[in-house]
Amino acid sequence: MEHIRTTKVEQVKLLDRFSTSNKSLTGTLYLTATHLLFIDSHQKETWILHHHIALVEKLALTTSGCPLVIQCKNFRIVHFIVPRERDCHDIYNSLLQLSKQAKYEDLYAFSYNPKQNDSERLQGWQLIDLAEEYKRMGVPNSNWQLSDANREYKICETYPRELYVPRIASKPIIVGSSKFRSKGRFPVLSYYHQNKEAAICRCSQPLSGFSARCLEDEHLLQAISKANPVNRYMYVMDTRPKLNAMANRAAGKGYENEDNYSNIRFQFVGIENIHVMRSSLQKLLEVNGNKGLSVSDFYSGLESSGWLRHIKAVMDAAIFLAKAIMVENASVLVHCSDGWDRTSQVCSLGSLLLDSYYRTIKGFMVLIEKDWISFGHKFSERCGHLDGDPKEVSPVFTQFLECVWHLTEQFPQAFEFNEAFLLQIHEHIHSCQFGNFLGNCQKEREELKLKEKTYSLWPFLLDDQKKYLNPLYSSKSPKFAVLEPNTVSFNFKFWRNMYHQFDRTLHPRQSMFNIIMNMNEQNEQLENDIKDLESKIKQRKSKQTDGILTKELLHSVHPESPTLKTSLCFKEQTLLPVNHALRTIEGSNPADNRYSEYAEEYSKSEPGVVSLEYGVARMTC
Amino acid sequence: MASAPTSKYNSHSLENESIKRGTFFILIDKEVIYICPFNGPIKGRVYITNYRLYLRSLETDSALILDVPLGVISRIEKMGGATSRGENSYGLDITCKDMRNLRFALKQEGHSRRDMFEILTRYAFPLAHSLPIFAFLNEEKFNVDGWTVYNPVEEYRRQGLPNHHWRITFINKCYELCDTYPALLVVPYRASDDDLRRVATFRSRNRIPVLSWIHPENKTVIVRCSQPLVGMSGKRNKDDEKYLDVIRETNRQISKLTIYDARPNVNAVANKATGGGYESDDAYHNAELFFLDIHNIHVMRESLKKVKDIVYPNVEESHWLSSLESTHWLEHIKLVLTGAIQVADRVSSGKSSVLVHCSDGWDRTAQLTSLAMLMLDSFYRSIEGFEILVQKEWISFGHKFASRIGHGDKNHADADRSPIFLQFIDCVWQMSKQFPTAFEFNERFLITILDHLYSCRFGTFLYNCESAREKQKVTERTVSLWSLINSNKDKFKNPFYTKEINRVLYPVASMRHLELWVNYYIRWNPRIKQQQPNPVEQRYVELLALRDEYIQRLEELQLASSAKLPDPSTSPAGPSQMMPHVRTHF
């Protein structure tokens, strides 16, 4: 690689910013084409993907060496001290180059090879099929149909080819409407609620300026409201703060005038734009440790970053949307400015509240594919995959994941997946290891031939499903059909396992979930044993019934009393001190020794979540 | 749980109450309007016994809306006058010790609130009316006697005491040496009773350094006491200095004794003006002194008041986090925990004996020693162990429960009141959040303790010290809270508890890891959907039950198959494979 001058530096120190004792590890730093690797004296490896690097800083030389601070997009901060300044400088320069690629083709996904053949690769890409998903929702139907208007990306470059629109909306109406919408993103179906026959639609802002009108656009909205046989009124949610929307009018854009559209109720919901979100996250990271952890004003710092307020705003919007459908049976059209950031957040989160399918592992993948990837959330720009405009970078998708995390906290039984799943997805929107999140829209992805040259993330996550299962998930409980989250202030908490995921001091909940997971497995094992034994007994029974032993068998049915007796006293034993019972089992059967595993979990001090990174690394090797 | 009265008690608990011996109705069936801060005014009927106040709604199927032990009441005020205008402006406003207020509106005609006001005042504040506290009337019976839980001799024996460095002394048998200490004390073997008497003259309220806990392996100790009476002139006392040196010498591993003064440095200095102070370097050569910066009872009281302001009745919405921070409650929790961690670490890793004191050694000192012991000794993390810890470090060593809580006392503004014990329980809760498998008890256990800290149903927390309790024959005349808990332990158990011996718990006392105990402080707010039981616990209990069922099933099958099949040629594959799972139970 032309950017790498030094591949190995010895005697490098790694400081742990969470450790209270200011301990440091000494080891060797390696620079590979894709990763920065640190191996300490205990042979423990720390892998950092170049694409994860958000910022590299070389600090002033100290007596012990030259400090190199690397901030990662997964919120890891590593602090190396390189003994010789020249080495530090070389690494610094290399990382600057390696972390900011100019071309898609230089991204990791194009060289990543998980040893799969072409058909496996293709199968992986076919795992999530959006046509299938629309069918699941119940479209096309008598009111909604697939439109071929954008088949060649002629109407809207940033939309997918396949779009669902009201059956009564003719092509001229669609074309006309698209001309009246920013970037041609005209109103299309995002989610169809089969029972309520109501729809979530999405678009970008109208080019209304101060007074412009567009009959086709008005017709299209009318067609959407007519496609709902129950409620002729529809909501138009502008997810921006009113002030921003008004300002947009001066630029010839703006929002719908209620007078021009029949049957609409217009509503602002006030989510701030990508620039506000970016600087809010920056502030959040500052109070939370970029500049040291010993801040005493943690809570007021958290508040002044505004981050949780923004999360709440997104959540409130989604709740509004879900209520409109559930309570009023009304269809809702959601937009912001271009309809790819806030609109994606609100549509996807709203669907997640309404439809329990999206709370499964597979369903969540579908949701991301649909509302984020296919509808052109600009992943590459928002995540800064390439060396581009830093003003386009914004944690919009991270916010979505955080909203979902808050929901999992409030409804621990409603989700099939756990926190690790969300963290892993977050890891990969930045890793550029898989093709899913590369590019900014479907058209661009096709041009990059991602399906031929890269792999899809989803099959790899599905293969590892066991790691991401939530042991509390109760799929059938009707309690969790539609989620109605409570947005009272104290429910919004700092997501420690995201923003401090490399804090190794504590991960208590994880350990509890591990216990439950292990217990679950034990029970499954027992269940299998029972089945085994039952079938064996059955077999023998049938053998014996023809044999001479029939008599004896009849006899053996009777002496149930000893069996009953032992099981009874056993029951008593377990009822009293649950843990004693546990111990006795485990003590004699090391195979399922929950206790020792658990103790190990603690002594390892390296929680499951943290090993994510190693997961990435291992895949690459 | 007496904490969530709504819906917890169905209507016939009223009848139960009247049957329960020791309680009697004083006021029956009085029509009032309860001004619920969450759901607006509710018309209902009030019933008052000498123990509690009930409110039964007249609107919604006579559901019980309120069930409040009178002991919880800290203040009763009349609101409005006979001439006040406006709806529901005339009535009573009751402030409770458990983070809530109750408002009742009554009819203005005929002084209708007078009887209710007088009865409540009389029975909520019996001390002012020379009436007995309810605990002395309570005739509840339990099948376990909670008073036997703590036996100091047994507890010290469990710790391996006496040994050749430490002895048990009965010098305080009649509470003559120190009236706020327990009768039985553990002191260095080499200190004579006369030494102890001389040391007592130099310690505030004669609370001399005595042993709280000894490390089972390295034999370092946690010793507690009050501040030395140094005063402005910097008095010294040879006996006290010698005594501390004797304590130091019981541990040969380190040449210094560590003294933790729980107070902020300035407060300790200021105490010199009133005759108190701290151990100076010149006088105590072989000791190192650290201040732990924990504030006094008044600061804590004001801090909790601010917490109440932001959570009751309405939860602060727009500036929740900064408001929470400005109460400083979590910061105080953090300081107490940090102090206890230092004590524990010093004893366990630093292998140094530790002396802890504050001013009088009954507030912050009790917090620090008991929390450090909880971190160091897994025994105290069991239900009974925790009861012993509270009984020992708090009750027997004279944490002034009567003054801090004001049982049956009408002086709601008494400067002696302070939520020191609540703060301790909060710290325990924080620890249980961080170590979800380390404690045998659950959150409900902690909340139940706090509920009965105020309720006056049990004698456990009455009076300021052991001598007063003995005088009042509390153990004979009242029921112990531990009777209630230990006779129904399953309710208070944490299913995740995994007993571990000798594991020291070091909680992370950083703001990032501390949170407000919503299920306690905000429990009256209907917007917190308390998921009872907690889904994580619930799932685990279900799995445990399922496993037991499976194992039983498997056992039965095995017995059936082995009984059925004497034929050796076909059997070995089956049961022998299963055996490991089951054999263990026999």
Side-chain angles (χ1 to χ4, degrees), chain B residues 306-422:
Chain B
K306 286 186 196 149
V307 173
K308 184 170 174 180
D309 286 344
I310 64 163
V311 301
Y312 192 92
N314 297 312
V315 177
E316 165 66 39
E317 275 293 336
S318 52
H319 298 288
W320 167 247
L321 292 170
S322 55
S323 310
L324 180 61
E325 187 171 276
S326 67
T327 68
H328 298 290
W329 183 254
L330 289 176
E331 210 178 303
H332 296 314
I333 296 280
K334 178 185 149 180
L335 283 171
V336 172
L337 273 174
T338 309
I341 291 167
Q342 286 187 60
V343 172
D345 185 52
R346 199 77 187 163
V347 168
S348 175
S349 320
K351 298 194 169 51
S352 163
S353 286
V354 167
L355 179 103
V356 183
H357 70 71
C358 44
S359 297
D360 288 320
W362 49 41
D363 293 310
R364 288 166 275 197
T365 301
Q367 289 179 329
L368 290 170
T369 56
S370 55
L371 284 170
M373 287 157 75
L374 199 64
M375 291 170 196
L376 290 163
D377 192 338
S378 58
F379 170 72
Y380 298 123
R381 295 174 219 144
S382 65
I383 287 180
E384 288 212 10
F386 190 77
E387 293 167 356
I388 287 171
L389 185 70
V390 169
Q391 202 73 48
K392 177 176 181 298
E393 286 304 300
W394 290 86
I395 297 171
S396 87
F397 271 104
H399 171 68
K400 303 204 291 174
F401 279 105
S403 308
R404 297 288 174 260
I405 308 300
H407 293 127
D409 176 46
K410 67 177 193 324
N411 301 315
H412 61 87
D414 192 342
D416 255 352
R417 293 200 185 171
S418 186
I420 301 300
F421 187 73
L422 165 65

Side-chain angles (χ1 to χ4, degrees), chain A residues 540-552:
Chain A
R540 277 173 216 147
K541 235 184 200 166
S542 56
K543 259 190 222 162
Q544 285 166 356
T545 32
D546 352 297
I548 338 151
L549 282 165
T550 331
K551 217 175 179 184
E552 215 169 307

Side-chain angles (χ1 to χ4, degrees), chain A residues 140-184:
Chain A
N141 58 26
S142 54
N143 290 318
W144 293 89
Q145 67 175 0
L146 177 64
S147 155
D148 60 1
N150 202 38
R151 187 130 293 169
E152 308 299 328
Y153 298 116
K154 274 195 183 134
I155 297 182
C156 175
E157 291 201 329
T158 57
Y159 264 177
R161 288 176 189 271
E162 283 169 1
L163 295 166
Y164 291 82
V165 295
R167 201 168 276 278
I168 56 169
S170 64
K171 196 159 173 184
I173 284 183
I174 290 173
V175 173
S177 165
S178 79
K179 289 191 175 131
F180 188 63
R181 292 278 167 180
S182 175
K183 308 274 195 307

Side-chain angles (χ1 to χ4, degrees), chain A residues 412-413 415-416 418 466-467 469-474 507-525 582 586 592-595 597-598 601, chain B residues 436-437 494-498 533-547 550:
Chain A
Q413 292 138 294
F415 290 83
E416 190 189 11
N418 59 17
K466 242 181 97 183
K467 279 208 299 221
L469 286 176
N470 167 19
L472 302 182
Y473 181 47
S474 48
H507 283 268
R509 281 202 68 164
Q510 210 55 38
S511 72
M512 242 152 50
F513 285 153
N514 285 346
I515 292 177
I516 292 188
M517 246 7 196
N518 289 345
M519 189 61 138
N520 235 338
E521 278 166 31
Q522 270 187 33
N523 279 356
E524 272 164 29
Q525 181 60 41
L582 251 174
E586 288 153 357
D592 52 14
N593 192 333
R594 175 173 74 84
Y595 173 71
E597 249 169 62
Y598 167 68
E601 182 70 29
Chain B
T437 62
N494 166 19
F496 290 99
Y497 178 52
T498 321
N534 165 330
V536 186
E537 278 181 31
Q538 195 186 359
R539 170 57 64 92
Y540 191 62
V541 171
E542 280 166 17
L543 286 173
L544 280 172
L546 192 66
R547 197 201 43 184
Y550 282 159

Side-chain angles (χ1 to χ4, degrees), chain B residues 81-264:
Chain B
T83 54
S84 347
R85 283 146 189 269
E87 218 182 333
N88 301 334
S89 60
Y90 173 88
L92 296 175
D93 189 13
I94 297 173
T95 310
C96 297
K97 295 169 182 173
D98 60 356
M99 310 289 288
R100 59 179 160 163
N101 280 44
L102 307 172
R103 260 170 178 237
F104 298 106
L106 291 104
K107 287 195 205 83
Q108 259 152 319
E109 303 88 54
H111 308 288
S112 71
R113 73 180 166 197
R114 189 190 281 158
D115 57 343
M116 189 165 160
F117 177 78
E118 278 170 6
I119 283 167
L120 281 176
T121 311
R122 211 172 146 78
Y123 288 93
F125 311 127
L127 294 190
H129 301 86
S130 2
L131 286 169
I133 285 180
F134 175 76
F136 290 102
L137 305 171
N138 185 9
E139 292 174 34
E140 276 176 283
K141 294 275 180 289
F142 293 97
N143 52 22
V144 181
D145 181 9
W147 291 122
T148 62
V149 163
Y150 178 57
N151 174 335
V153 174
E154 260 174 46
E155 164 57 14
Y156 287 121
R157 190 177 300 144
R158 187 193 68 85
Q159 294 189 22
L161 296 167
N163 61 19
H164 54 276
H165 285 302
W166 296 91
R167 66 187 177 96
I168 289 176
T169 172
F170 293 93
I171 185 176
N172 202 35
K173 191 173 58 190
C174 304
Y175 308 104
E176 280 165 336
L177 178 76
C178 170
D179 57 353
T180 58
Y181 260 4
L184 194 145
L185 300 168
V186 175
V187 295
Y189 196 81
R190 283 181 45 214
S192 70
D193 283 1
D194 283 338
D195 290 336
L196 299 180
R197 282 190 195 97
R198 284 195 295 270
V199 172
T201 62
F202 192 61
R203 289 281 163 179
S204 173
R205 310 203 189 245
N206 305 330
R207 293 171 70 92
I208 59 165
V210 295
L211 181 142
S212 271
W213 189 77
I214 184 163
H215 195 286
E217 276 143 33
N218 67 28
K219 303 296 173 198
T220 52
V221 293
I222 299 177
V223 169
R224 62 182 290 174
C225 60
S226 60
Q227 64 184 340
L229 299 174
V230 174
M232 290 299 264
S233 56
K235 271 193 298 252
R236 288 179 55 167
N237 180 308
K238 284 282 168 226
D239 295 299
D240 192 71
E241 290 162 24
K242 204 183 105 203
Y243 183 70
L244 258 56
D245 220 37
V246 168
I247 292 173
R248 180 186 62 83
E249 279 169 7
T250 62
N251 165 34
R252 300 249 160 74
Q253 293 153 80
I254 242 142
S255 57
K256 292 235 171 181
L257 174 73
T258 310
I259 301 175
Y260 285 110
D261 187 326
R263 301 166 292 183

